Amino acid sequence: MQLLDGKLLSENIKMELAAEVDQIRLKGGKIPHLAAVLVGENPASQVYVSSKIKSCEQVGFKSTLVRRPADIGEAELLDIVYGLNNDPDIDGFIVQLPLPKHISEEKITLAIDHRKDVDGFHPVNFGRMAQGMPAFLPATPFGIMEMLRRHNIETSGKHCVVLGRSNIVGTPMALLLSRKGYPGDCTVTLTHSRTRDLAAEVRRADIVVAAIGIPQFVKADWVRDGAVVIDVGINRIADATRKSGSRLVGDVDFDAVAPKCSHITPVPGGVGLMTVTALLMNTLKACRKEIYG
Ligand code: NAD
């Protein structure tokens, strides 16, 4: 079994990005600039945003954090989005989800200029991705594709079972893996909460991508010997042996499943770190105008 080490891989990619920034600086070019909008005090969102900002600093990108209280009005948040759309120094930005209930996430996502949508959530980017056109890919699936590619994991003709059909992970993952080219050319089954016999579906998989948000849900007897298992889940469970009283686990019962796999991602230290790195890769693409010219 080989561990797909997201920490090591993301550090390597960050070194490549830092080297690119050095080159840009030498040539007097524009330094990539990512902005993040954080609304409210959601603890997970605060952790995610601060890790995005910290990662920008590590590779030499400029970053801007826009923080607003949870009671910000929708119109005011839209104004912030329009301001970032029109700021020529900002190459890309994200509005961290989830947003407070009184704000429409759909409205905010649609208001983001798709040329700066480095999260890849705007329907223009999603549609372009689905048609195989150049697009900002959603960061988590992009990070997973990069992980498969950089580990030379064979995907052509493989049967991939994706668990979960969210717009940000499951559905784009299924699309990307079924697309022509490498990594891709898989035969994909997209499963969800209404799937009749999930265990039977997973047993047929050469590649499993679990993104449902239920701790340690995927069991060892569901997984075929030699399967590649990508665990996207980030779930906090109680653990009295830890000082904090809790720990993070994925959607896969790691200890039982890992011995059966050819490759598996750990949680933490797997997909999560690659997600942040993919966001940086998208920001560089935005700065270089690689997608939209
Ligand atoms: P979501 O809550 O939007 O969607 C969950 C999906 O799981 C739904 O499509 C639902 O149909 C499916 N599902 C729920 N219960 C199921 C069941 N019993 N059987 C089969 N399918 C079931 O989730 P999301 O935003 O895609 O996130 C999923 C997990 O991934 C969460 O733990 C989240 O924290 C994590 N996540 C991690 C990263 C990362 O960077 N590693 C990024 C995004 C999300």
Side-chain angles (χ1 to χ4, degrees), residues 140 164-166 169 192-193 198 211-214 217 232-235 272 275:
T140 302
R165 58 180 161 189
S166 73
V169 188
H192 45 75
S193 53
L198 196 58
I212 52 179
I214 306 177
F217 186 71
V232 185
I234 300 179
N235 311 291
T275 296

Side-chain angles (χ1 to χ4, degrees), residues 36 69 94 112 189 205 268:
I94 62 152
I112 296 173
T189 302

